[in-house]
Amino acid sequence: MARKQGKHTVNKTRGKRKVRNIAVIIAALTVLTFTVPAEFFAAAKSVAATTTATIIKTATPGKTVTTGKTAVLAKVAATVETSLPAEKAGSTETAAAGKTTASAKTVTAGKSTTTAKEKAPAKKTIPPKAVTPKKAAIAGSITGVRKTWSVKYNREALKDKITVSPAYGRKVLLYYKNVQTGKWEKLAAYKTKNVKTATLIITYPKRWRSCNTSKWRISLPKVSQNGSIAPMKAKTATTTIHSQVISAPIGCVMEVSSGKVLYNKGMYDKHRVASVTKLMTAMLFTENCGSLSKYYTYTKKAYVKDHQLMRVGDTFTAKDLIYMMMVQSYNEAANAAAVGVSGSKAAFVKKMNARAGKLGMTRTHYMNAEGLDAAKNGKKNYSCAYDQALLARYIMKSSGYKTMKKAMRTRSRTVKSKSGKEIYLYRTNWRLGNKGNIGMKTGTDYGTLKNVKNKERSRYCFCGCYKVGGKEYITVVLGAPNRNASFTNTDKLRSFITYARKHNNYV
């Protein structure tokens, strides 16, 4: 006869079975943890939690779950949490919530379970930097700068007493505009006192003497906001110094070995150069004549209307033609040489212009071999002081023009034609041998070009070469009113060479 079980005993038995079922489910989930990917485990864990909550809810309907059952369920839940591998649990939690969290559960016998969550450390907050309010920029001022100077050559020093505001220790910079490069060069820097308004003495370096017209700039750089000092705008003042070294409209001095320009007065201005043209003619003839003893005839193709002594049919050696050009500036000799080596005047002029281009004479255009003022179809025979200095420098540096250089240094000479005709030559260079002058070439306008204003004529020109202290210097004067003025202006340039060497100015 079967033993009857009371209602209480039946319920108790059913409760134990449900607990065992829970344990089996938990064990199955634990096994699956190591064989199933983390994504599937996350879903299984969620189902297990739901099932556990349902069982706990329905285990004792209408009654309160005893403390013992609660502890058992908490222990099972803890087993599930601890059985999860660290790596998969971490990756599952990260994928599900986007954060890394760790849960720790502590089970105490006879008491409810408590859980502590570890939160990720909070991000550091960087306090915003203190922003200094911007102040309106203050406009600077420079007063006391003379706009123009007109000084004589023997003036010792040029100074300006200027006032700068606001100062507060700012720098004042002095710039000089280089006439060759066209760029501003910083030559000096001054520092003001730490006051609102400061005074300074600006001394202009003696470089102003190396140029008839020099430009200068006094600059007050801008200052950014610095603490309590408001930003200050930049300010500039300019001045021009006119140095009366020579009275001729155009002139320059160039050192032969380096090519540096010591003095410049309108040296880039285009101007007719008259017989200074023969420097190019004699140079090209020397290069193309062959033997210096070869004869060349003054033909009708070479004819030029002039008052000199050569006649059509006269025949001279190449050496004699060079002396005739360089000593007494014979126009007939220049054209005889041109036609002799090129066949025509025009062909030789093409060679002259081509060679000028190769030498960097960019402001030069030749129309003939002798240099007489000419104007045909609006074209002129012109050059500039700088270009002529380049040509003269090239001749003096080269070793292939010995006869030409010797002719420059000759005071007088008699040449004889093939037929026995003699012509006496006398120098046109009145400064030959004076203060180191070793020659070069004169140029004179005899008024052969009619209806041309005087300022457009070549007038009187001179390109000289001086040897001073073991160095050679080229001087060029263009457009002097008379022959004597061309030499007196050259004398001033010669004195300037001494001054430049003494003060180490460009030398």
Side-chain angles (χ1 to χ4, degrees):
M1 187 174 182
R3 186 181 178 184
K4 296 182 179 180
Q5 294 180 350
K7 186 177 180 181
H8 178 73
T9 305
V10 172
N11 291 339
K12 186 175 181 181
T13 302
R14 290 178 179 175
K16 289 181 180 181
R17 289 177 181 173
K18 290 181 179 180
V19 170
R20 284 198 300 271
N21 292 339
I22 291 171
V24 171
I25 292 172
I26 297 304
L29 289 175
T30 304
V31 173
L32 291 174
T33 300
F34 295 95
T35 59
V36 181
E39 292 81 355
F40 293 99
F41 177 76
K45 182 181 177 183
S46 178
V47 173
T50 305
T51 305
T52 304
T54 303
I55 293 172
I56 294 173
K57 185 176 180 180
T58 58
T60 55
K63 294 185 179 182
T64 305
V65 180
T66 60
T67 304
K69 294 181 180 180
T70 305
V72 172
L73 293 175
K75 186 175 182 180
V76 171
T79 304
V80 174
E81 292 292 338
T82 55
S83 63
L84 179 65
E87 294 183 0
K88 291 188 177 182
S91 61
T92 303
E93 301 253 291
T94 303
K99 298 180 181 179
T100 304
T101 57
S103 300
K105 296 184 180 181
T106 306
V107 179
T108 306
K111 294 183 180 180
S112 300
T113 306
T114 60
T115 304
K117 294 184 179 179
E118 295 181 3
K119 296 183 179 180
K123 293 183 179 179
K124 293 182 179 179
T125 56
I126 302 174
K129 293 183 179 179
V131 179
T132 304
K134 292 185 178 180
K135 298 180 180 180
I138 303 173
S141 66
I142 302 174
T143 57
V145 179
R146 192 177 303 187
K147 291 185 177 180
T148 57
W149 295 78
S150 182
V151 296
K152 293 183 179 181
Y153 172 70
N154 58 0
R155 181 73 178 265
E156 287 301 321
L158 298 182
K159 297 181 180 181
D160 262 332
K161 185 177 181 180
I162 69 171
T163 302
V164 177
S165 179
Y168 298 117
R170 297 170 72 180
K171 287 185 177 181
V172 177
L173 306 177
L174 178 63
Y175 291 88
Y176 163 80
K177 191 169 186 179
N178 190 310
V179 294
Q180 289 183 274
T181 63
K183 296 181 180 180
W184 289 96
E185 297 179 1
K186 186 175 75 173
L187 296 186
Y190 301 84
K191 189 175 182 180
T192 61
K193 294 182 179 180
N194 192 22
V195 292
K196 182 178 180 181
T197 303
T199 57
L200 286 173
I201 301 297
I202 301 295
T203 302
Y204 297 95
K206 293 180 180 179
R207 187 176 292 192
W208 59 265
R209 295 185 179 180
S210 66
C211 190
N212 181 71
T213 301
S214 58
K215 294 183 179 181
W216 302 78
R217 175 187 290 171
I218 298 172
S219 177
L220 191 63
K222 68 178 180 179
V223 177
S224 303
Q225 183 172 346
N226 182 12
S228 60
I229 299 178
M232 290 174 276
K233 295 181 180 179
K235 184 68 177 178
T236 299
T238 58
T239 186
T240 302
I241 301 176
H242 299 285
S243 174
Q244 300 175 5
V245 176
I246 62 174
S247 60
I250 297 173
C252 77
V253 177
M254 179 184 288
E255 199 266 312
V256 172
S257 63
S258 65
K260 292 181 179 178
V261 175
L262 279 69
Y263 177 79
N264 161 34
K265 182 179 181 181
M267 67 179 183
Y268 297 121
D269 296 344
K270 293 178 181 179
H271 197 277
R272 290 185 171 92
V273 295
S275 287
V276 179
T277 300
K278 293 185 178 72
L279 285 175
M280 176 65 80
T281 304
M283 186 187 78
L284 289 178
F285 181 64
T286 300
E287 295 173 355
N288 295 277
C289 68
S291 173
L292 291 174
S293 59
K294 183 179 179 179
Y295 282 97
Y296 288 87
T297 302
Y298 180 54
T299 63
K300 288 183 179 181
K301 287 184 178 181
Y303 178 78
V304 57
K305 188 177 180 180
D306 199 9
H307 64 281
Q308 294 174 326
L309 301 178
M310 286 185 71
R311 298 292 180 264
V312 174
D314 288 346
T315 303
F316 291 88
T317 63
K319 184 178 181 179
D320 288 340
L321 289 179
I322 292 172
Y323 271 86
M324 293 170 80
M325 283 188 278
M326 301 309 297
V327 177
Q328 200 165 333
S329 193
Y330 265 62
N331 294 330
E332 296 95 325
N335 283 278
V339 175
V341 296
S342 297
S344 68
K345 294 179 182 179
F348 188 79
V349 169
K350 286 184 180 180
K351 286 185 177 181
M352 294 173 71
N353 287 316
R355 192 56 180 276
K358 290 182 179 180
L359 292 176
M361 300 167 65
T362 58
R363 296 172 180 83
T364 297
H365 180 77
Y366 293 110
M367 289 289 292
N368 52 51
E370 77 282 351
L372 291 175
D373 286 349
K376 185 178 181 181
N377 298 326
K379 295 182 179 180
K380 301 176 182 178
N381 190 75
Y382 62 83
S383 185
C384 68
Y386 180 75
D387 284 4
Q388 291 304 307
L390 284 180
L391 175 61
R393 177 185 176 232
Y394 177 79
I395 293 170
M396 297 308 297
K397 284 188 69 177
S398 302
S399 59
Y401 309 106
K402 292 181 180 179
T403 300
M404 187 177 173
K405 293 176 185 178
K406 190 174 181 180
M408 291 180 196
R409 300 184 181 97
T410 301
R411 291 177 178 272
S412 61
R413 183 182 178 89
T414 300
V415 296
K416 185 182 291 187
S417 70
K418 191 174 182 179
S419 63
K421 180 180 179 178
E422 292 184 350
I423 297 178
Y424 178 74
L425 307 175
Y426 188 75
R427 64 184 172 92
T428 58
N429 179 5
W430 293 359
R431 290 299 182 266
L432 185 62
N434 180 265
K435 294 184 178 181
N437 183 276
I438 55 176
M440 295 312 272
K441 190 70 190 71
T442 58
T444 305
D445 174 19
Y446 291 104
T448 56
L449 191 63
K450 305 298 182 183
N451 301 321
V452 176
K453 296 178 181 179
N454 283 336
K455 66 178 182 179
E456 294 182 1
R457 293 183 179 277
S458 52
R459 307 187 84 179
Y460 292 85
C461 311
F462 180 58
C463 177
C465 184
Y466 287 86
K467 192 168 186 178
V468 183
K471 289 187 176 183
E472 294 178 346
Y473 301 87
I474 304 297
T475 63
V476 181
V477 172
L478 302 179
N482 53 63
R483 178 172 291 186
N484 186 60
S486 68
F487 291 118
T488 55
N489 278 275
T490 299
D491 292 341
K492 292 178 181 179
L493 293 180
R494 169 61 182 84
S495 298
F496 184 84
I497 293 171
T498 302
Y499 161 79
R501 288 176 56 83
K502 181 179 179 181
H503 293 279
N504 197 32
N505 191 355
Y506 288 120
V507 182

